Amino acid sequence: MILVTGGAGFIGANFVLDWLAQCDEPVVNLDKLTYAGNLENLTSLQGDARHVFVQGDIGDASLVAQLLTQHRPRAVINFAAESHVDRSIHGPGDFIQTNIVGTFHLLEAVRAYWGGLQGAQKDAFRLLHVSTDEVYGSLGPGDAAFTETHRVEPNSPYSASKAASDHLVRAYHHTYGLPVLTTNCSNNYGPFHFPEKLIPLMIVNALAGKPLPVYGDGMQIRDWLYVKDHCSAIRRVLEGGRLGEIYNVGGWNEKPNIEIVNTVCALLDELRPRADGQPYASQISYVKDRPGHDRRYAIDARKLEAELGWKPAETFESGIRKTVMWYLDHADWVEHVQSGAYREWVGLQYASPSA
Ligand code: NAD
Ligand code: TYD
C-alpha cells in the first residue's frame, strides 16, 4: 500500500481518486483537514476498504511513525502543505510550520521506518515529495523556461517554505541515502480546486454575479496543467524516476491571467449565459496587485518527457472546458466549501476592490 499525505486537498484528492480508479493498491490518507482539506472530495470512496482516512498532522512524528509501522507502505507521497500565496503574505506562520517543520518531522519518521526495512522492501521504498515551479522565482519575458537545474530563488513566503522543504528532502537523500523523488509542477486546475485560487474563484464569482478581481495589469503569466495530468506524472515518476532526482512537470501552456479569465467567461457565456444577456467579462475588475507578485512562470518538462515518456492527456482548451463544466455540475460542492472560514478570507483579501 501507499501512504498519501494531504489527500483531502485539491491535488491529493484527485490523486487518490485516480489511483484507486486504476489499481487496487490501498491508500492510507493522512490529512489534517485544514480549511483546504475536504472529505467531500472523497465521498465516492465511502465504504471502499482500499481507502483508509486518518485525520492528523504530518508534523506529528509519533502518529506518522505509528501509521508507517502499522500499514508498512511501499511509498509515501507528500502533498500536505499550506498552498495559497496570498494567505502566505497575510500570515506566513502556518506555511513555516507545515511546509518546513512538518516536512522535517515527516522525513524523520520516514527515515526511521525505511532504516528498519530489509532487502527488497528497502530497495523498493520511495518518498515522493510534491513541489511547485514557484521555488524557481520569476522569469523575464524572453527567459527560457525553468529546467531542474534553474537557480532556486523563491519570492513569496509560500514558495520559500516549499523551497526549504525541497532542500530538506534533497539533503535526506544526500546524507542518509533516503530514496526520494521530487516533482516541481506548474499551476494546476481542475475538479475540487478550492475557490480561493484564480480559476475556481473566477467561475464561482462569475456565477454569483460578483466582480472578477484581476491583480495589477493581469499580464502575469502562469503555465497551466490539468490536475489529472499532474497525477499521471506523479505516478510515472514514482514508478520509474531515478532516486534523488527532480522532475519538472508542466504542459507547455503559458497564459497571461487576463486570457485565463476571458476564457472562463467565454465558456460560461456559452454554457450558462447570464439572464440579462450581458457577457460575464463585464464583471472583470482590476484590483491592487499582490505584493512581490511573480511576473512569469514557465516549466521545461523535457526531462520527464524524455526519461519517462510522460505526456499530458489534456490540452488547455479541453481541460478548461471540463473544469468549467465540473463546477457547473457541482454547485453543492461549491456551496459547502464556502464556509465561515472561506467568507472570512474573501472579506480580508478583497476588502478594497479597486486598483
Ligand atoms: P491544497 O491546499 O488544496 O491541499 C492541501 C492539503 O493538505 C489539504 O487537504 C490540507 O488539509 C492538508 N494539510 C495541510 N497542512 C497539513 C498538515 N500539517 N498535515 C497534514 N495535512 C495537511 O493544496 P493543493 O493545491 O492540493 O497542493 C498539494 C501540493 O501540491 C502542495 O504541496 C503544493 O505545494 C503542491 N503544488 C500545488 C500546485 C497547484 O497549482 N495547486 C502546483 C504545484 C505544486
Ligand atoms: P493563484 O491561483 O493564487 O496561484 P499562484 O499564485 O500560486 O500562481 O493565482 C494565479 C495567478 O492569478 C497569479 O498570478 C495571481 C492571479 N490572481 C488574480 O489576478 N486574482 C485573484 O483573485 C487570484 C486569487 C489570483
Side-chain angles (χ1 to χ4, degrees):
M1 72 150 56
I2 61 168
L3 172 66
V4 166
T5 72
F10 164 48
I11 306 172
N14 276 286
F15 180 84
V16 170
L17 292 170
D18 285 4
W19 181 272
L20 292 173
Q22 295 188 17
C23 74
D24 281 330
E25 186 174 11
V27 177
V28 178
N29 184 349
L30 172 66
D31 195 296
K32 188 177 174 183
L33 296 182
T34 66
Y35 78 93
N38 182 1
L39 283 179
E40 238 181 280
N41 300 350
L42 302 164
T43 39
S44 63
L45 296 177
Q46 254 168 21
D48 189 328
R50 299 172 304 163
H51 179 241
V52 179
F53 182 79
V54 179
Q55 183 171 5
D57 194 322
I58 56 165
D60 182 344
S62 61
L63 171 65
V64 178
Q66 180 232 306
L67 290 175
L68 292 168
T69 314
Q70 183 186 348
H71 297 286
R72 306 193 66 72
R74 69 166 176 101
V76 173
I77 300 150
N78 183 32
F79 293 94
E82 290 292 336
S83 69
H84 189 33
V85 174
D86 294 317
R87 285 187 191 255
S88 83
I89 294 167
H90 283 276
D94 289 346
F95 290 72
I96 305 305
Q97 202 52 43
T98 283
N99 300 359
I100 306 180
V101 181
T103 303
F104 159 68
H105 286 300
L106 178 70
L107 281 164
E108 280 290 273
V110 170
R111 179 165 79 93
Y113 165 71
W114 171 74
L117 295 177
Q118 307 286 336
Q121 271 194 329
K122 188 167 189 173
D123 293 343
F125 183 81
R126 300 285 182 271
L127 168 72
L128 191 152
H129 177 62
V130 180
S131 193
T132 164
D133 60 358
E134 304 195 22
V135 300
Y136 299 120
S138 186
L139 292 169
D143 293 345
F146 301 127
T147 64
E148 289 78 0
T149 54
H150 194 280
R151 183 168 162 197
V152 173
E153 210 167 24
N155 290 320
S156 73
Y158 163 65
S159 55
S161 67
K162 289 296 292 186
S165 68
D166 295 6
H167 285 321
L168 282 172
V169 169
R170 182 182 187 280
Y172 271 63
H173 175 69
H174 190 80
T175 304
Y176 305 113
L178 196 69
V180 305
L181 298 155
T182 299
T183 53
N184 290 83
C185 189
S186 57
N187 282 61
N188 285 211
Y189 66 98
F192 306 117
H193 205 183
F194 195 78
E196 65 186 354
K197 306 277 170 65
L198 179 73
I199 289 178
L201 183 83
M202 294 300 151
I203 300 171
V204 166
N205 277 16
L207 293 172
K210 293 183 179 161
L212 308 179
V214 173
Y215 298 165
D217 63 0
M219 289 306 292
Q220 304 84 2
I221 291 172
R222 298 293 182 265
D223 189 352
W224 295 92
L225 183 68
Y226 191 61
V227 62
K228 287 175 186 300
D229 284 326
H230 186 190
C231 295
S232 76
I234 291 170
R235 291 196 301 274
R236 190 69 200 98
V237 172
L238 183 64
E239 196 175 59
R242 285 182 293 129
L243 292 186
E245 291 290 314
I246 292 168
Y247 292 89
N248 281 355
V249 186
W252 307 96
N253 267 311
E254 285 185 62
K255 309 253 184 229
N257 292 338
I258 190 65
E259 191 181 323
I260 297 289
V261 176
N262 278 318
T263 302
V264 166
C265 288
L267 281 165
L268 288 172
D269 288 338
E270 175 196 328
L271 298 166
R272 181 74 54 86
R274 268 175 46 159
D276 63 3
Q278 291 302 304
Y280 283 100
S282 62
Q283 290 167 231
I284 291 172
S285 156
Y286 287 89
V287 301
K288 192 154 59 65
D289 207 353
R290 171 188 282 174
H293 199 169
D294 284 338
R295 197 69 185 165
R296 175 177 167 234
Y297 303 141
I299 275 283
D300 183 332
R302 277 178 296 182
K303 178 176 172 183
L304 176 60
E305 292 167 1
E307 268 188 32
L308 299 174
W310 174 85
K311 281 258 178 292
E314 302 291 342
T315 61
F316 184 71
E317 289 63 34
S318 63
I320 193 71
R321 180 173 283 273
K322 280 187 182 174
T323 304
V324 170
M325 288 172 73
W326 187 89
Y327 279 87
L328 289 174
D329 290 343
H330 291 81
D332 282 1
W333 182 91
V334 171
E335 196 185 312
H336 296 167
V337 298
Q338 290 177 314
S339 64
Y342 175 80
R343 282 195 296 274
E344 270 170 41
W345 165 251
V346 170
L348 177 70
Q349 172 69 2
Y350 300 100
S352 51
S354 41

